[in-house]
Amino acid sequence: MIRRLSAALAALALVLFIVISAGKTVEPGNVGVKIRTLGPAAGVDPQPLPSGWHFRGVGERIVEFPVIQRTYSYTREPDERGPQNEEIAFADNTGLPMTADVAITLQVTRGSAPKLYETYRLTFDQLLDGPIRNDVRSAIAAEAEKVNVDALYSGGRQVVIQRALARVSAKWARFGVVVSQLDWIGTIRYPDVILQAIQAKTRTDQETLTARAQVAKAQAQAEAQIAAARGEAESIRIINQALAANPRYVDLKAVEKWDGKLPQVTGSGGAPFINLREDAR
């Protein structure tokens, strides 16, 4: 009896192990797509699978697609998705080559996952590495070739990336993939010779602006000095006119300042500086 019970328990454990190992857990934030490779119902199941554990029969497999926003990066350096160099290469309107790292934020609408897999027969990671990356590269290249490197360096790169986002978003919206954001990671990698030329031009422009500011300051100071001189000359002219019209004005100012004391010493034959007798009259 004990041997039979032990054998039954072992058989049950084996069955449970087979059942559990045959299943797959769809992670939270993802939706599953079941693919059947055997039998009359072979193909992609049109009904998406919610997150949770799901049984996989013989000849069945389940792939997952994200239904919440996720961000992925195409970079020169290795990342969590592998050691490959995935930087985006493009050129300006003169054919000058350059590269950059780019991040994309996207998600799959829940009901579109089965149709998306049926169309491309690729997992989501394979879509990111293949068709989606190709479209990102093509969109950036198409917009970058409309401008020159000076425009990109001076702030035009944001216009380029936003127009590229519009292209990619419109393309993948037809397949139920919502591309919400496309961003540069860091700066664009320009050829060294071009970068040096741009930096030299920037320094020249700054020096020119500084020189112009100094010239403007000198002109303002000169004009202020001229205006002050003109004001002083006009003041002297008015005083002279007043003195010519009023010759006794100087004597009057002297009287106003006189303290009532006559000079103690005068020159030979000298006289006080004011004609008191005439003033008295």
Side-chain angles (χ1 to χ4, degrees):
M1 178 64 71
I2 294 175
R3 287 197 298 270
R4 290 177 182 176
L5 181 60
S6 299
L9 290 175
L12 179 61
L14 178 62
V15 171
L16 289 175
F17 173 78
I18 294 174
V19 170
I20 292 174
S21 62
K24 177 178 174 58
T25 300
V26 176
E27 299 297 329
N30 290 351
V31 66
V33 176
K34 180 177 287 188
I35 301 100
R36 299 185 179 92
T37 58
L38 299 175
V44 179
D45 191 331
Q47 186 64 35
L49 303 175
S51 60
W53 186 87
H54 299 276
F55 176 75
R56 292 181 300 181
V58 177
E60 294 181 347
R61 59 193 179 95
I62 297 174
V63 295
E64 297 182 57
F65 291 86
V67 291
I68 60 175
Q69 283 192 346
R70 295 187 181 177
T71 299
Y72 301 87
S73 301
Y74 300 118
T75 64
R76 171 185 290 185
E77 302 299 330
D79 57 18
E80 69 278 1
R81 295 177 54 241
Q84 296 83 6
N85 180 358
E86 295 182 315
E87 64 183 343
I88 303 299
F90 52 97
D92 72 344
N93 59 4
T94 65
L96 180 68
M98 58 198 80
T99 63
D101 297 339
V102 177
I104 184 171
T105 301
L106 70 171
Q107 67 187 100
V108 178
T109 56
R110 187 176 300 275
S112 300
K115 186 65 176 178
L116 180 61
Y117 182 84
E118 188 175 21
T119 301
Y120 286 94
R121 297 288 175 170
L122 297 173
T123 65
F124 193 70
D125 283 343
Q126 291 170 336
L127 286 173
L128 284 170
D129 292 336
I132 293 178
R133 182 182 179 277
N134 290 339
D135 286 338
V136 169
R137 180 187 55 78
S138 297
I140 292 177
E143 294 299 331
E145 68 181 9
K146 297 178 181 178
V147 299
N148 58 36
V149 66
D150 288 337
L152 288 171
Y153 189 81
S154 61
R157 69 188 197 130
Q158 291 304 323
V159 176
V160 168
I161 200 71
Q162 290 304 313
R163 289 177 176 173
L165 170 61
R167 284 174 176 261
V168 176
S169 178
K171 156 72 180 295
W172 285 94
R174 301 197 300 268
F175 301 101
V177 179
V178 180
V179 181
S180 57
Q181 198 166 343
L182 197 63
D183 295 301
W184 302 110
I185 301 176
T187 60
I188 295 175
R189 300 184 187 94
Y190 305 96
D192 288 341
V193 62
I194 297 300
L195 188 59
Q196 292 171 5
I198 292 175
Q199 292 173 343
K201 181 179 181 297
T202 300
R203 286 194 298 269
T204 301
D205 291 343
Q206 291 175 343
E207 291 171 356
T208 300
L209 291 175
T210 300
R212 288 177 180 174
Q214 291 174 346
V215 170
K217 180 179 179 181
Q219 289 177 342
Q221 291 175 342
E223 291 174 357
Q225 291 175 352
I226 291 172
R230 287 176 179 172
E232 184 176 355
E234 181 66 14
S235 176
I236 293 173
R237 185 186 66 79
I238 293 173
I239 291 173
N240 288 336
Q241 287 180 348
L243 291 175
N246 302 278
R248 303 303 305 278
Y249 177 74
V250 175
D251 291 343
L252 176 61
K253 299 301 290 183
V255 169
E256 289 177 351
K257 295 182 178 181
W258 186 39
D259 58 2
K261 297 179 181 179
L262 292 175
Q264 300 298 316
V265 179
T266 60
S268 176
F273 70 101
I274 299 176
N275 191 338
L276 299 177
R277 187 181 307 166
E278 185 177 350
D279 289 342
R281 290 198 301 269

